[in-house]
Coordinates of all heavy atoms in Angstrom, one line a residue:
A129 N 0.8 -1.2 0.0 CA 0.0 0.0 0.0 C 0.9 1.3 0.0 O 0.6 2.2 -0.7 CB -0.9 0.0 1.2
K130 N 2.0 1.2 0.8 CA 2.9 2.4 0.8 C 3.5 2.6 -0.5 O 3.7 3.8 -1.0 CB 3.9 2.2 1.9 CG 3.4 2.4 3.3 CD 4.5 2.5 4.3 CE 4.0 2.9 5.6 NZ 4.9 2.8 6.7
I131 N 3.9 1.6 -1.2 CA 4.5 1.7 -2.5 C 3.5 2.3 -3.5 O 3.8 3.2 -4.3 CB 5.1 0.4 -3.0 CG1 6.4 0.1 -2.2 CG2 5.5 0.5 -4.5 CD1 7.0 -1.3 -2.5
K132 N 2.3 1.8 -3.4 CA 1.2 2.3 -4.3 C 0.9 3.8 -4.1 O 0.6 4.5 -5.0 CB -0.1 1.5 -4.1 CG 0.0 0.2 -4.9 CD -1.4 -0.5 -4.9 CE -1.3 -1.7 -5.8 NZ -2.4 -2.7 -5.6
G133 N 1.1 4.3 -2.9 CA 0.8 5.7 -2.6 C 2.0 6.6 -2.8 O 1.8 7.8 -2.7
A134 N 3.1 6.0 -3.0 CA 4.3 6.9 -3.0 C 4.5 7.7 -4.3 O 4.1 7.2 -5.4 CB 5.6 6.0 -2.9
D135 N 5.0 8.9 -4.2 CA 5.3 9.7 -5.3 C 6.7 9.4 -5.8 O 7.0 9.6 -7.0 CB 5.3 11.2 -5.0 CG 3.8 11.6 -4.6 OD1 2.9 11.1 -5.2 OD2 3.7 12.5 -3.7
V136 N 7.6 9.0 -4.9 CA 8.9 8.7 -5.3 C 9.3 7.3 -4.7 O 9.1 7.1 -3.5 CB 9.9 9.7 -4.8 CG1 11.4 9.3 -5.0 CG2 9.7 11.1 -5.4
L137 N 9.9 6.4 -5.5 CA 10.3 5.1 -5.1 C 11.8 5.0 -5.4 O 12.2 5.2 -6.6 CB 9.5 4.0 -5.8 CG 9.8 2.6 -5.4 CD1 9.5 2.3 -3.9 CD2 8.9 1.7 -6.3
V138 N 12.6 4.7 -4.4 CA 14.0 4.5 -4.6 C 14.4 3.1 -4.3 O 14.1 2.6 -3.2 CB 14.9 5.5 -3.7 CG1 16.4 5.2 -4.0 CG2 14.5 6.9 -4.0
I139 N 14.9 2.4 -5.3 CA 15.3 1.0 -5.1 C 16.8 1.0 -5.2 O 17.4 1.5 -6.2 CB 14.7 0.0 -6.2 CG1 13.2 0.0 -6.0 CG2 15.2 -1.4 -6.0 CD1 12.4 -0.9 -7.0
G140 N 17.5 0.4 -4.2 CA 18.9 0.3 -4.2 C 19.3 -1.2 -4.2 O 18.7 -2.0 -3.6
S141 N 20.4 -1.5 -4.9 CA 21.0 -2.9 -4.9 C 22.5 -2.8 -5.0 O 23.0 -2.1 -5.8 CB 20.4 -3.7 -6.1 OG 21.0 -4.9 -6.2
P142 N 23.2 -3.7 -4.2 CA 24.6 -4.0 -4.6 C 24.6 -4.8 -5.9 O 23.6 -5.5 -6.2 CB 25.1 -4.7 -3.4 CG 23.9 -5.4 -2.8 CD 22.7 -4.5 -3.1
L143 N 25.7 -4.7 -6.6 CA 25.8 -5.6 -7.8 C 26.5 -6.9 -7.3 O 27.6 -6.9 -6.8 CB 26.7 -4.8 -8.8 CG 26.7 -5.3 -10.2 CD1 27.0 -4.2 -11.2 CD2 27.6 -6.5 -10.4
Y144 N 25.7 -7.9 -7.3 CA 26.2 -9.3 -6.9 C 26.2 -10.2 -8.1 O 25.2 -10.3 -8.8 CB 25.3 -9.9 -5.8 CG 25.6 -9.3 -4.4 CD1 24.7 -9.8 -3.4 CD2 26.5 -8.4 -4.1 CE1 24.9 -9.3 -2.1 CE2 26.7 -7.9 -2.8 CZ 25.9 -8.4 -1.8 OH 26.0 -8.0 -0.5
W145 N 27.3 -10.9 -8.3 CA 27.4 -11.9 -9.4 C 26.9 -11.3 -10.7 O 26.0 -11.8 -11.3 CB 26.6 -13.2 -9.0 CG 27.4 -13.9 -8.0 CD1 27.1 -14.0 -6.6 CD2 28.5 -14.7 -8.2 NE1 28.0 -14.8 -6.0 CE2 28.9 -15.3 -6.9 CE3 29.3 -15.1 -9.3 CZ2 30.0 -16.1 -6.8 CZ3 30.4 -15.9 -9.1 CH2 30.8 -16.4 -7.9
H146 N 27.4 -10.1 -11.0 CA 27.1 -9.4 -12.3 C 25.7 -8.9 -12.5 O 25.4 -8.5 -13.6 CB 27.5 -10.4 -13.5 CG 28.6 -11.3 -13.1 ND1 29.8 -10.9 -12.8 CD2 28.6 -12.7 -13.1 CE1 30.6 -12.0 -12.5 NE2 29.9 -13.0 -12.7
N147 N 24.9 -8.8 -11.4 CA 23.6 -8.4 -11.6 C 23.0 -7.8 -10.3 O 23.6 -7.7 -9.3 CB 22.7 -9.6 -12.1 CG 21.7 -9.2 -13.1 OD1 21.0 -8.2 -13.0 ND2 21.6 -9.9 -14.2
I148 N 21.7 -7.5 -10.4 CA 20.9 -7.0 -9.2 C 21.0 -8.2 -8.2 O 20.9 -9.3 -8.6 CB 19.4 -6.7 -9.7 CG1 19.4 -5.5 -10.6 CG2 18.6 -6.5 -8.5 CD1 18.1 -5.3 -11.3
C149 N 21.1 -7.8 -6.9 CA 21.2 -8.8 -5.9 C 19.9 -9.6 -5.7 O 18.8 -9.2 -6.1 CB 21.6 -8.2 -4.6 SG 20.3 -7.3 -3.8
G150 N 20.0 -10.8 -5.2 CA 18.9 -11.8 -5.1 C 17.7 -11.2 -4.3 O 16.6 -11.4 -4.8
S151 N 17.9 -10.5 -3.2 CA 16.8 -10.0 -2.5 C 16.0 -9.0 -3.2 O 14.7 -9.0 -3.2 CB 17.2 -9.5 -1.1 OG 18.2 -8.5 -1.3
V152 N 16.6 -8.1 -4.0 CA 15.9 -7.1 -4.8 C 15.2 -7.8 -5.9 O 14.0 -7.5 -6.3 CB 16.8 -6.0 -5.2 CG1 16.1 -5.0 -6.2 CG2 17.3 -5.2 -4.0
R153 N 15.9 -8.8 -6.5 CA 15.3 -9.5 -7.6 C 14.0 -10.3 -7.1 O 13.0 -10.3 -7.8 CB 16.3 -10.5 -8.2 CG 15.9 -11.0 -9.6 CD 17.1 -11.6 -10.3 NE 17.9 -10.6 -11.0 CZ 17.5 -10.1 -12.1 NH1 16.4 -10.5 -12.8 NH2 18.2 -9.2 -12.7
T154 N 14.1 -10.8 -5.9 CA 12.9 -11.5 -5.4 C 11.8 -10.5 -5.2 O 10.6 -10.9 -5.4 CB 13.3 -12.2 -4.0 OG1 14.3 -13.1 -4.3 CG2 12.1 -12.9 -3.4
L155 N 12.1 -9.3 -4.7 CA 11.0 -8.3 -4.6 C 10.3 -8.1 -5.9 O 9.1 -8.1 -6.0 CB 11.6 -7.0 -4.1 CG 10.7 -5.8 -4.0 CD1 9.7 -5.9 -2.8 CD2 11.4 -4.5 -3.9
L156 N 11.1 -7.9 -7.0 CA 10.5 -7.7 -8.3 C 9.7 -9.0 -8.7 O 8.6 -8.8 -9.2 CB 11.6 -7.5 -9.4 CG 12.6 -6.3 -9.2 CD1 13.4 -6.1 -10.4 CD2 11.9 -5.1 -8.8
D157 N 10.2 -10.1 -8.4 CA 9.5 -11.4 -8.7 C 8.1 -11.4 -8.0 O 7.1 -11.8 -8.6 CB 10.2 -12.6 -8.2 CG 11.5 -12.9 -9.0 OD1 11.8 -12.2 -10.0 OD2 12.3 -13.8 -8.5
R158 N 8.1 -10.9 -6.8 CA 6.9 -11.0 -6.0 C 5.8 -10.1 -6.4 O 4.6 -10.2 -6.1 CB 7.2 -10.8 -4.5 CG 8.1 -11.8 -3.9 CD 7.3 -13.1 -3.5 NE 8.2 -14.2 -3.3 CZ 8.9 -14.5 -2.2 NH1 8.8 -13.7 -1.1 NH2 9.7 -15.5 -2.2
F159 N 6.2 -9.0 -7.2 CA 5.2 -8.1 -7.8 C 4.4 -8.8 -8.9 O 3.2 -8.5 -9.1 CB 5.9 -6.9 -8.4 CG 6.1 -5.7 -7.5 CD1 7.0 -5.8 -6.4 CD2 5.4 -4.6 -7.7 CE1 7.2 -4.7 -5.6 CE2 5.5 -3.5 -6.8 CZ 6.4 -3.6 -5.8
Y160 N 5.1 -9.7 -9.5 CA 4.5 -10.3 -10.7 C 3.3 -11.2 -10.4 O 3.5 -12.3 -9.8 CB 5.6 -11.1 -11.5 CG 5.3 -11.3 -12.9 CD1 5.6 -10.3 -13.8 CD2 4.6 -12.4 -13.4 CE1 5.4 -10.5 -15.2 CE2 4.4 -12.6 -14.8 CZ 4.7 -11.6 -15.6 OH 4.5 -11.7 -17.0
G161 N 2.1 -10.8 -10.7 CA 0.9 -11.5 -10.3 C 0.1 -10.7 -9.3 O -0.9 -10.1 -9.7
P162 N 0.6 -10.6 -8.0 CA -0.2 -9.9 -7.1 C -0.4 -8.4 -7.4 O -1.4 -7.8 -7.0 CB 0.6 -10.0 -5.8 CG 1.4 -11.2 -6.0 CD 1.7 -11.3 -7.4
V163 N 0.5 -7.8 -8.0 CA 0.4 -6.3 -8.3 C 0.0 -6.2 -9.8 O 0.6 -6.7 -10.7 CB 1.7 -5.6 -8.1 CG1 1.6 -4.1 -8.4 CG2 2.2 -5.8 -6.6
E164 N -1.1 -5.5 -10.0 CA -1.7 -5.3 -11.3 C -0.8 -4.4 -12.1 O -0.3 -3.4 -11.6 CB -3.1 -4.7 -11.2 CG -4.1 -5.2 -12.1 CD -5.4 -4.5 -11.8 OE1 -6.0 -4.8 -10.7 OE2 -5.9 -3.8 -12.6
S165 N -0.6 -4.7 -13.4 CA 0.2 -3.8 -14.2 C -0.4 -2.4 -14.3 O -1.7 -2.3 -14.4 CB 0.5 -4.4 -15.6 OG -0.7 -4.6 -16.3
G166 N 0.4 -1.4 -14.3 CA -0.1 0.0 -14.4 C -0.7 0.5 -13.1 O -1.2 1.6 -13.1
S167 N -0.6 -0.2 -12.0 CA -1.3 0.2 -10.8 C -0.4 1.1 -9.9 O -0.9 1.5 -8.8 CB -1.8 -1.0 -10.0 OG -0.7 -1.8 -9.6
L168 N 0.8 1.3 -10.2 CA 1.7 2.3 -9.5 C 1.7 3.6 -10.2 O 1.4 3.7 -11.3 CB 3.1 1.7 -9.3 CG 3.2 0.3 -8.6 CD1 4.6 -0.1 -8.4 CD2 2.5 0.2 -7.3
K169 N 2.2 4.6 -9.4 CA 2.4 5.9 -10.0 C 3.7 6.5 -9.4 O 4.3 5.9 -8.5 CB 1.2 6.8 -9.7 CG 1.0 7.0 -8.2 CD -0.1 8.0 -7.9 CE -0.3 8.2 -6.4 NZ 0.8 8.8 -5.6
G170 N 4.1 7.6 -9.9 CA 5.3 8.3 -9.3 C 6.5 7.9 -10.0 O 6.6 7.3 -11.1
K171 N 7.6 8.4 -9.4 CA 8.9 8.3 -10.1 C 9.8 7.1 -9.4 O 9.7 6.9 -8.2 CB 9.7 9.6 -9.9 CG 9.1 10.8 -10.5 CD 9.9 12.0 -10.1 CE 9.3 13.3 -10.8 NZ 10.1 14.5 -10.4
L172 N 10.5 6.4 -10.3 CA 11.4 5.4 -9.8 C 12.8 5.8 -10.0 O 13.2 6.1 -11.2 CB 11.1 4.0 -10.5 CG 12.1 2.9 -10.1 CD1 12.0 2.5 -8.7 CD2 11.8 1.7 -11.0
F173 N 13.6 5.7 -9.0 CA 15.1 5.9 -9.1 C 15.8 4.6 -8.7 O 15.3 3.9 -7.7 CB 15.5 7.0 -8.1 CG 14.9 8.4 -8.5 CD1 13.7 8.8 -8.1 CD2 15.7 9.3 -9.2 CE1 13.1 10.0 -8.4 CE2 15.2 10.5 -9.6 CZ 13.9 10.9 -9.1
F174 N 16.9 4.3 -9.3 CA 17.6 3.1 -9.0 C 19.0 3.4 -8.7 O 19.8 4.1 -9.4 CB 17.5 2.2 -10.3 CG 18.2 0.8 -10.1 CD1 18.1 0.1 -8.9 CD2 19.0 0.3 -11.1 CE1 18.7 -1.1 -8.8 CE2 19.6 -0.9 -11.0 CZ 19.5 -1.6 -9.8
L175 N 19.5 2.9 -7.5 CA 20.9 3.1 -7.0 C 21.5 1.7 -7.1 O 21.0 0.7 -6.6 CB 20.9 3.6 -5.6 CG 20.1 4.9 -5.3 CD1 20.3 5.3 -3.8 CD2 20.6 6.0 -6.2
F176 N 22.6 1.6 -7.9 CA 23.2 0.3 -8.2 C 24.7 0.4 -8.0 O 25.4 1.2 -8.7 CB 22.9 0.0 -9.7 CG 23.0 -1.4 -10.1 CD1 22.9 -2.5 -9.2 CD2 23.2 -1.8 -11.4 CE1 23.0 -3.8 -9.6 CE2 23.3 -3.1 -11.8 CZ 23.2 -4.1 -10.9
Q177 N 25.2 -0.3 -7.0 CA 26.7 -0.2 -6.7 C 27.4 -1.5 -6.8 O 27.0 -2.5 -6.2 CB 26.8 0.4 -5.3 CG 28.3 0.6 -4.9 CD 28.5 1.0 -3.5 OE1 27.8 1.8 -3.0 NE2 29.5 0.4 -2.8
G178 N 28.5 -1.5 -7.5 CA 29.4 -2.6 -7.6 C 30.8 -2.2 -7.2 O 31.1 -1.1 -7.2
A179 N 31.6 -3.2 -7.0 CA 33.0 -3.0 -6.6 C 33.8 -2.6 -7.9 O 34.6 -1.7 -7.9 CB 33.6 -4.2 -5.9
A180 N 33.6 -3.3 -8.9 CA 34.3 -3.1 -10.2 C 33.3 -3.5 -11.4 O 33.7 -4.4 -12.1 CB 35.6 -3.8 -10.3
P181 N 32.2 -2.8 -11.5 CA 31.2 -3.3 -12.4 C 31.6 -3.0 -13.9 O 32.3 -2.0 -14.2 CB 30.0 -2.4 -12.1 CG 30.5 -1.2 -11.4 CD 31.7 -1.6 -10.7
E182 N 31.3 -3.9 -14.8 CA 31.5 -3.7 -16.2 C 30.2 -3.1 -16.7 O 29.1 -3.2 -16.2 CB 31.8 -5.0 -16.9 CG 33.2 -5.6 -16.5 CD 33.4 -6.9 -17.1 OE1 32.9 -7.3 -18.2 OE2 34.2 -7.7 -16.4
K183 N 30.4 -2.4 -17.9 CA 29.3 -1.6 -18.5 C 28.0 -2.5 -18.7 O 26.9 -2.1 -18.4 CB 29.8 -1.0 -19.8 CG 28.9 0.0 -20.4 CD 29.6 0.8 -21.5 CE 28.7 1.6 -22.3 NZ 28.1 0.9 -23.4
W184 N 28.2 -3.7 -19.2 CA 27.1 -4.5 -19.6 C 26.3 -4.9 -18.3 O 25.1 -5.1 -18.4 CB 27.5 -5.7 -20.4 CG 28.3 -6.7 -19.6 CD1 29.7 -6.8 -19.5 CD2 27.9 -7.9 -18.8 NE1 30.1 -7.8 -18.7 CE2 29.0 -8.5 -18.3 CE3 26.6 -8.4 -18.5 CZ2 28.9 -9.7 -17.5 CZ3 26.5 -9.5 -17.7 CH2 27.6 -10.2 -17.2
M185 N 27.0 -5.0 -17.2 CA 26.3 -5.4 -15.9 C 25.4 -4.3 -15.5 O 24.2 -4.5 -15.1 CB 27.3 -5.7 -14.8 CG 28.3 -6.8 -15.2 SD 29.6 -7.0 -13.9 CE 30.7 -8.0 -14.8
L186 N 25.9 -3.0 -15.5 CA 25.1 -1.9 -15.2 C 23.9 -1.7 -16.1 O 22.8 -1.4 -15.7 CB 26.0 -0.6 -15.1 CG 27.1 -0.6 -14.1 CD1 28.0 0.6 -14.3 CD2 26.6 -0.7 -12.7
E187 N 24.2 -1.9 -17.4 CA 23.1 -1.8 -18.4 C 22.0 -2.9 -18.1 O 20.8 -2.6 -18.3 CB 23.7 -2.0 -19.8 CG 24.4 -0.7 -20.2 CD 25.2 -0.9 -21.5 OE1 25.3 -2.0 -22.1 OE2 25.8 0.1 -22.0
A188 N 22.4 -4.1 -17.7 CA 21.4 -5.1 -17.5 C 20.5 -4.7 -16.3 O 19.3 -4.9 -16.4 CB 22.1 -6.4 -17.1
G189 N 21.1 -4.1 -15.2 CA 20.3 -3.7 -14.1 C 19.4 -2.5 -14.5 O 18.2 -2.5 -14.1
D190 N 19.9 -1.6 -15.3 CA 19.1 -0.5 -15.7 C 18.0 -0.9 -16.6 O 16.8 -0.4 -16.4 CB 20.1 0.5 -16.5 CG 19.5 1.8 -16.8 OD1 18.9 2.4 -15.9 OD2 19.6 2.3 -18.0
Y191 N 18.2 -1.9 -17.4 CA 17.2 -2.4 -18.3 C 16.1 -3.0 -17.5 O 14.9 -2.8 -17.8 CB 17.8 -3.5 -19.3 CG 16.8 -4.1 -20.2 CD1 16.5 -3.4 -21.4 CD2 16.2 -5.3 -20.0 CE1 15.6 -4.0 -22.3 CE2 15.3 -5.8 -20.8 CZ 15.0 -5.2 -22.0 OH 14.1 -5.7 -22.9
T192 N 16.4 -3.8 -16.5 CA 15.4 -4.5 -15.7 C 14.5 -3.5 -15.0 O 13.3 -3.6 -15.0 CB 16.1 -5.4 -14.7 OG1 16.8 -6.4 -15.4 CG2 15.1 -6.1 -13.7
M193 N 15.2 -2.5 -14.4 CA 14.4 -1.4 -13.7 C 13.5 -0.6 -14.6 O 12.4 -0.3 -14.3 CB 15.3 -0.5 -12.9 CG 15.9 -1.1 -11.7 SD 14.6 -1.6 -10.6 CE 15.4 -2.8 -9.5
R194 N 14.0 -0.4 -15.8 CA 13.2 0.4 -16.8 C 12.0 -0.4 -17.2 O 10.8 0.1 -17.2 CB 14.1 0.6 -18.1 CG 13.4 1.5 -19.1 CD 14.3 1.8 -20.3 NE 15.6 2.5 -19.8 CZ 15.7 3.8 -19.6 NH1 14.6 4.5 -19.7 NH2 16.8 4.3 -19.2
R195 N 12.1 -1.7 -17.4 CA 11.0 -2.6 -17.7 C 10.0 -2.7 -16.5 O 8.8 -2.8 -16.7 CB 11.5 -4.0 -18.2 CG 12.3 -4.0 -19.5 CD 11.5 -3.5 -20.6 NE 10.3 -4.3 -20.9 CZ 10.2 -5.3 -21.7 NH1 11.2 -5.6 -22.5 NH2 9.1 -6.0 -21.9
F196 N 10.6 -2.8 -15.3 CA 9.8 -2.9 -14.1 C 8.9 -1.7 -14.0 O 7.7 -1.8 -13.8 CB 10.7 -3.1 -12.9 CG 10.0 -3.0 -11.6 CD1 9.2 -4.1 -11.1 CD2 10.0 -1.8 -10.8 CE1 8.6 -4.0 -9.9 CE2 9.4 -1.8 -9.6 CZ 8.6 -2.8 -9.1
A197 N 9.5 -0.5 -14.2 CA 8.8 0.8 -14.1 C 7.7 0.8 -15.1 O 6.5 1.2 -14.8 CB 9.7 1.9 -14.3
S198 N 8.0 0.4 -16.4 CA 7.0 0.5 -17.4 C 5.9 -0.4 -17.2 O 4.7 -0.1 -17.5 CB 7.8 0.3 -18.7 OG 7.1 -0.5 -19.6
L199 N 6.2 -1.6 -16.7 CA 5.1 -2.6 -16.5 C 4.1 -2.1 -15.4 O 2.9 -2.3 -15.6 CB 5.7 -3.9 -16.1 CG 4.7 -5.1 -15.8 CD1 3.9 -5.4 -17.1 CD2 5.5 -6.4 -15.4
Y200 N 4.6 -1.5 -14.4 CA 3.7 -1.1 -13.2 C 3.3 0.3 -13.2 O 2.6 0.8 -12.3 CB 4.4 -1.5 -11.9 CG 4.5 -3.0 -11.8 CD1 5.7 -3.7 -12.0 CD2 3.4 -3.8 -11.6 CE1 5.8 -5.1 -12.0 CE2 3.4 -5.2 -11.6 CZ 4.6 -5.8 -11.8 OH 4.7 -7.2 -11.8
G201 N 3.7 1.1 -14.3 CA 3.1 2.5 -14.4 C 4.0 3.5 -13.8 O 3.5 4.7 -13.6
L202 N 5.2 3.2 -13.3 CA 6.1 4.2 -12.8 C 6.9 4.9 -13.9 O 7.1 4.4 -15.0 CB 7.1 3.5 -11.8 CG 6.6 2.8 -10.6 CD1 7.6 1.8 -10.1 CD2 6.2 3.8 -9.5
S203 N 7.3 6.2 -13.5 CA 8.1 6.9 -14.5 C 9.6 6.6 -14.1 O 10.0 7.1 -13.0 CB 7.8 8.4 -14.4 OG 8.8 9.2 -14.9
Y204 N 10.3 6.0 -14.9 CA 11.7 5.6 -14.6 C 12.6 6.8 -14.8 O 12.7 7.3 -15.9 CB 12.2 4.5 -15.4 CG 13.6 4.0 -15.0 CD1 13.8 3.6 -13.7 CD2 14.6 3.9 -16.0 CE1 15.1 3.1 -13.4 CE2 15.8 3.4 -15.6 CZ 16.1 3.1 -14.3 OH 17.3 2.6 -13.9
E205 N 13.2 7.3 -13.7 CA 14.0 8.5 -13.8 C 15.5 8.2 -14.0 O 16.3 9.2 -14.2 CB 13.8 9.4 -12.5 CG 12.3 9.8 -12.3 CD 11.8 10.7 -13.4 OE1 12.6 11.6 -13.9 OE2 10.6 10.6 -13.7
G206 N 15.9 7.0 -13.8 CA 17.3 6.6 -14.1 C 18.0 6.0 -13.0 O 17.5 5.8 -11.9
M207 N 19.3 5.7 -13.3 CA 20.1 4.9 -12.3 C 21.3 5.7 -12.0 O 21.9 6.5 -12.8 CB 20.6 3.6 -13.1 CG 21.7 2.8 -12.4 SD 22.1 1.4 -13.5 CE 23.2 2.1 -14.7
A208 N 21.8 5.6 -10.7 CA 23.0 6.2 -10.3 C 23.9 5.0 -9.8 O 23.5 4.2 -9.1 CB 22.8 7.2 -9.2
T209 N 25.2 5.1 -10.2 CA 26.1 4.0 -9.8 C 27.3 4.5 -9.0 O 28.2 3.8 -8.6 CB 26.7 3.3 -11.1 OG1 27.5 4.2 -11.8 CG2 25.6 2.8 -12.0
N210 N 27.3 5.8 -8.7 CA 28.3 6.4 -7.8 C 27.7 7.7 -7.3 O 26.6 8.2 -7.7 CB 29.6 6.6 -8.6 CG 29.5 7.5 -9.8 OD1 28.8 8.6 -9.7 ND2 30.0 7.1 -10.9
R211 N 28.5 8.3 -6.4 CA 28.0 9.5 -5.7 C 27.7 10.7 -6.7 O 26.7 11.3 -6.6 CB 29.0 9.9 -4.7 CG 28.6 11.0 -3.8 CD 29.6 11.3 -2.7 NE 29.2 12.5 -1.9 CZ 28.3 12.5 -1.0 NH1 27.7 11.3 -0.6 NH2 27.9 13.6 -0.4
K212 N 28.6 10.8 -7.6 CA 28.5 11.9 -8.6 C 27.2 11.8 -9.4 O 26.4 12.7 -9.5 CB 29.7 11.9 -9.5 CG 29.9 13.2 -10.3 CD 31.2 13.1 -11.0 CE 31.2 14.0 -12.2 NZ 32.3 13.8 -13.2
E213 N 26.9 10.6 -9.8 CA 25.7 10.3 -10.6 C 24.4 10.5 -9.7 O 23.4 11.0 -10.1 CB 25.7 8.9 -11.2 CG 26.7 8.7 -12.3 CD 26.7 7.3 -12.8 OE1 26.0 6.4 -12.3 OE2 27.6 7.0 -13.6
A214 N 24.6 10.1 -8.4 CA 23.4 10.2 -7.5 C 23.1 11.7 -7.3 O 21.9 12.1 -7.2 CB 23.8 9.5 -6.2
V215 N 24.1 12.5 -7.1 CA 23.9 14.0 -7.0 C 23.2 14.5 -8.2 O 22.2 15.3 -8.1 CB 25.2 14.7 -6.7 CG1 25.0 16.2 -6.8 CG2 25.8 14.3 -5.3
R216 N 23.6 14.1 -9.4 CA 23.0 14.6 -10.6 C 21.5 14.1 -10.7 O 20.6 14.9 -11.0 CB 23.8 14.1 -11.8 CG 23.5 14.9 -13.1 CD 24.3 14.4 -14.3 NE 25.7 14.1 -14.0 CZ 26.3 13.0 -14.4 NH1 25.7 12.1 -15.1 NH2 27.6 12.9 -14.2
L217 N 21.3 12.9 -10.4 CA 20.0 12.3 -10.5 C 19.0 12.9 -9.5 O 17.8 13.0 -9.8 CB 20.1 10.8 -10.2 CG 18.9 9.9 -10.6 CD1 18.6 10.0 -12.1 CD2 19.2 8.4 -10.3
S218 N 19.5 13.3 -8.3 CA 18.7 13.9 -7.3 C 17.9 15.1 -7.8 O 16.9 15.5 -7.2 CB 19.4 14.1 -6.0 OG 20.3 15.2 -6.2
A219 N 18.5 15.8 -8.8 CA 17.8 17.0 -9.3 C 16.4 16.6 -9.9 O 15.6 17.5 -10.1 CB 18.7 17.6 -10.4
K220 N 16.2 15.3 -10.2 CA 14.9 14.9 -10.8 C 13.8 14.6 -9.8 O 12.7 14.3 -10.2 CB 15.2 13.7 -11.8 CG 16.1 14.1 -12.9 CD 16.5 12.9 -13.7 CE 15.6 12.6 -14.9 NZ 16.0 11.5 -15.7
I221 N 14.2 14.6 -8.5 CA 13.2 14.2 -7.5 C 12.2 15.4 -7.4 O 12.5 16.5 -7.4 CB 13.9 14.0 -6.1 CG1 14.7 12.7 -6.2 CG2 12.8 13.9 -5.0 CD1 15.4 12.3 -4.9
Ligands
FMN83 C1 28.4 -12.2 -3.2 C2 29.0 -11.0 -3.8 C3 29.1 -10.9 -5.2 C4 29.6 -9.7 -5.8 N1 29.7 -9.6 -7.1 C5 30.2 -8.5 -7.7 C6 30.2 -8.4 -9.1 O1 29.9 -9.3 -9.8 N2 30.7 -7.2 -9.6 C7 31.1 -6.2 -8.8 O2 31.5 -5.1 -9.4 N3 31.0 -6.2 -7.5 C8 30.6 -7.4 -6.9 N4 30.5 -7.5 -5.5 C9 30.9 -6.3 -4.7 C10 29.6 -5.6 -4.2 O3 29.0 -5.0 -5.3 C11 30.0 -4.5 -3.2 O4 30.5 -5.2 -2.1 C12 28.8 -3.7 -2.8 O5 28.4 -2.9 -3.8 C13 29.0 -3.0 -1.5 O6 30.1 -2.1 -1.5 P1 31.1 -2.1 -0.3 O7 31.6 -3.5 -0.2 O8 32.2 -1.1 -0.7 O9 30.3 -1.7 0.9 C14 30.1 -8.6 -4.9 C15 30.0 -8.8 -3.5 C16 29.5 -9.9 -3.0 C17 29.3 -10.0 -1.5

């Protein structure tokens, strides 16, 4: 209910084994079915941190979040992978 009422949703994940970590992925999995597509509103921001991420790993996480946002009706505002990007992204809140 809180997620449904939120204007801003921030999802953060460490980069584990080249991708979004298991617990965040499980959260996305659990939406599938119980949460009706298009039933959320507001902005989605994604924070994704790895120790030494390669470009394709970051792109995979960004792609998943973009698709998640689009399926459930959120406006995907983008991903930050370091402090500098997070500061830039925060201007969109
Ligand atoms: C199980 C595990 C798998 C990880 N896999 C990756 C990985 O594939 N690529 C990467 O860049 N960092 C990887 N890391 C590093 C984490 O992304 C990093 O520890 C996390 O972002 C938290 O940062 P910190 O350790 O500086 O607090 C992994 C860490 C763990 C514990």
Side-chain angles (χ1 to χ4, degrees):
K130 281 190 175 173
I131 289 177
K132 278 188 173 164
D135 295 325
V136 173
L137 180 62
V138 180
I139 297 181
S141 171
L143 197 152
Y144 281 178
W145 288 102
H146 329 300
N147 218 313
I148 294 169
C149 72
S151 53
V152 173
R153 194 162 276 282
T154 299
L155 174 75
L156 304 189
D157 292 353
R158 298 277 162 87
F159 269 70
Y160 203 84
V163 181
E164 220 176 293
S165 61
S167 64
L168 303 183
K169 60 175 179 63
K171 299 175 176 181
L172 174 66
F173 295 84
F174 181 41
L175 306 179
F176 199 23
Q177 182 185 316
E182 290 175 29
K183 191 167 170 272
W184 67 270
M185 299 173 194
L186 297 174
E187 284 170 354
D190 191 46
Y191 180 83
T192 298
M193 284 300 163
R194 187 177 300 281
R195 293 300 301 266
F196 173 77
S198 141
L199 181 58
Y200 292 105
L202 296 160
S203 163
Y204 186 55
E205 302 294 326
M207 170 180 79
T209 66
N210 57 48
R211 188 176 174 78
K212 197 173 156 193
E213 289 175 6
V215 169
R216 198 181 315 133
L217 195 58
S218 69
K220 297 171 94 178
I221 290 181

